[in-house]
Amino acid sequence: MNEVITHLLISAVFGALGAILRILVTLKKYHEIYKSMRRESFLTYAVCAVVIGVFSGIILDFGMIGSFLAGYAGVDLMKGYYAAFKKTKINVRRN
């Protein structure tokens, strides 16, 4: 049982590390374009990214490198979902 928990924790840590790398890349790109960022927005993004990275690392566990890449890609999925839902407008007709 301890081996399973240890394996899950290692996957979670490497998923979080992948997410942190993605956060740093995003921060660098954002800073080059906009020069400033609201702290609250960034902290919300960072917390969500790390949580998604942890879960991605655990779910898509193919070793340490796989968990790391899953954590990195999990943040991209979050950004993709945000962009898709942001552009979608729902019109409700009332009869």
Side-chain angles (χ1 to χ4, degrees), residues 17-93:
L17 289 174
I20 290 169
L21 178 63
R22 183 63 190 158
I23 291 167
L24 294 175
V25 169
T26 301
L27 181 63
K28 183 182 181 307
K29 287 181 182 180
Y30 195 87
H31 183 68
E32 288 175 356
I33 296 170
Y34 298 108
K35 306 293 183 211
S36 66
M37 179 184 291
R38 288 186 27 216
R39 181 177 292 177
E40 298 83 19
S41 299
F42 177 71
L43 289 176
T44 302
Y45 170 73
V47 168
C48 290
V50 170
V51 169
I52 289 172
V54 166
F55 284 118
S56 297
I58 291 171
I59 293 170
L60 302 172
D61 177 30
F62 297 109
M64 291 183 277
I65 295 173
S67 294
F68 181 83
L69 294 174
Y72 188 91
V75 178
D76 283 338
L77 288 173
M78 178 180 74
K79 289 172 67 175
Y81 288 142
Y82 174 75
F85 284 118
K86 185 177 177 182
K87 293 179 183 179
T88 303
K89 292 184 178 181
I90 300 172
N91 294 324
V92 178
R93 293 184 185 179

